[in-house]
Amino acid sequence: MVKFSIPAVAVAIGAGVSSTYAFAPVANTGARSVASSAPLFMSSVAAPEQSPLAPLTVWGDRIPDIIESQNELKSRKMDFAPTIKSSDLGLASDDKEGQLAYVREHAMEIKQQMVDNGAVIFREFDLMKEQEGFVKFYEALGMKTCLDPLHSVSARPTVDGDKNSPVYEAVNKESRKNFFIGMHNEFVGTRAPRAAAFVCFKAAEEGGEFLIADGRQIFRDLKTDLVERLYNRNIRYSVMELPFFGWVDNFPEFVRPAAMGALKGLVSAAINAKV
């Protein structure tokens, strides 16, 4: 797991999806906000006014022997989230043109690092401290934009207020202030961007650290018997914000089991149909 404070930018491959579909390559020549990225393909067609929906989630084939896969991963050396510093490149932190030229020239190399290492962290890049430069950054990198997977429920506003903007704010609603959001994959229901770029335009007054974790390392370090039980029982972990049901306690005791059973059915249906 990597924890870092602002200023920094992280680009990461979506977990559980084919990483080769994360980008549209760009030529090497030429001039906790989130930018979501759609599939990889060569294209010279101008982007539409409104970004397309996030791609459908791609699930892999069933793994014949999950324990063998875990053991194979334990034998491999894995590097996660290498850092690229502007000063290490001989560039001043405020040399936005030089930083943009570097991203353009090394786009394929950076994307390969993402595929190999899961994420890449950029530090000392003033280029990405404002939305205009952030957009130039991910366009130079070749990330094709798509709508937020939460677009249909309007959970996240765009940074500049433009409904067609691909740069979203983090979920920051008053109603969610008491909810802890733990480590999670960047997909919702049936849709998942293949990669995403995260940036902070305004540092938090307190705290504000951003966490990214390597799903490969989590899988590697889980207890073997737990991995086997989770996989063979087809357990799915799903989170959904729902109203509190304390009012059920006001029912007569003999009514509560039936009421809770009905609520459980409704909740299951809601989770299965969410977004």
Side-chain angles (χ1 to χ4, degrees):
M1 181 180 295
V2 174
K3 178 174 75 171
F4 57 88
S5 298
I6 304 306
V9 175
V11 284
I13 289 289
V17 297
S18 173
S19 57
T20 56
Y21 290 104
F23 308 98
V26 291
N28 288 337
T29 58
R32 176 53 160 135
S33 294
V34 181
S36 299
S37 177
L40 161 70
F41 58 90
M42 296 296 292
S43 175
S44 59
V45 179
E49 290 186 4
Q50 183 176 26
S51 299
L53 293 173
L56 292 171
T57 303
V58 177
W59 300 100
D61 295 332
R62 182 166 182 80
I63 301 171
D65 190 333
I66 193 68
I67 302 306
E68 181 182 350
S69 296
Q70 187 188 40
N71 289 334
E72 189 274 332
L73 201 59
K74 289 179 179 179
S75 67
R76 287 168 46 193
K77 182 180 182 300
M78 293 183 294
D79 294 320
F80 179 57
T83 297
I84 298 175
K85 291 185 178 181
S86 190
S87 58
D88 290 343
L89 306 174
L91 298 171
S93 61
D94 61 354
D95 184 0
K96 298 181 182 181
E97 291 302 319
Q99 293 164 359
L100 185 59
Y102 170 81
V103 174
R104 283 201 185 104
E105 183 177 350
H106 296 85
M108 294 305 294
E109 176 186 337
I110 294 169
K111 289 181 284 192
Q112 190 60 51
Q113 284 184 294
M114 290 178 61
V115 172
D116 295 339
N117 304 302
V120 178
I121 299 171
F122 291 83
R123 295 187 184 274
E124 305 172 351
F125 277 70
D126 284 5
L127 171 67
M128 291 85 99
K129 285 187 175 180
E130 296 179 352
Q131 179 168 341
E132 181 181 359
F134 182 53
V135 171
K136 289 180 179 179
F137 158 74
Y138 68 68
E139 288 179 344
L141 191 56
M143 299 181 75
K144 294 189 70 66
T145 57
C146 64
L147 293 174
D148 181 7
L150 290 170
H151 173 75
S152 62
V153 293
S154 302
R156 281 191 278 246
T158 58
V159 172
D160 60 5
D162 182 353
K163 66 178 182 179
N164 294 326
S165 171
V167 183
Y168 294 88
E169 292 185 4
V171 176
N172 192 29
K173 292 187 175 181
E174 181 68 19
S175 62
R176 291 176 171 83
K177 69 179 182 180
N178 294 322
F179 286 83
F180 172 73
I181 301 177
M183 303 308 297
H184 56 277
N185 291 327
E186 285 298 321
F187 77 86
V188 179
T190 60
R191 297 194 175 273
R194 301 302 188 250
F198 302 85
V199 66
C200 180
F201 296 136
K202 182 181 179 182
E205 295 179 1
E206 182 179 348
E209 294 86 0
F210 184 71
L211 300 175
I212 50 176
D214 189 347
R216 302 167 304 173
Q217 292 183 21
I218 294 174
F219 171 61
R220 180 198 64 190
D221 296 339
L222 284 173
K223 292 182 178 180
T224 300
D225 61 337
L226 177 61
V227 169
E228 190 170 30
R229 280 185 291 143
L230 288 173
Y231 196 73
N232 291 334
R233 292 178 62 183
N234 295 318
I235 292 177
R236 181 183 62 178
Y237 177 70
S238 186
V239 177
M240 189 174 188
E241 183 179 333
L242 295 166
F244 295 105
F245 297 111
W247 48 268
V248 176
D249 294 336
N250 297 323
F251 288 180
E253 188 171 347
F254 70 92
V255 177
R256 292 176 197 167
M260 290 304 297
L263 288 173
K264 182 178 179 181
L266 289 173
V267 169
S268 297
I271 289 177
N272 289 331
K274 72 172 185 177
V275 193

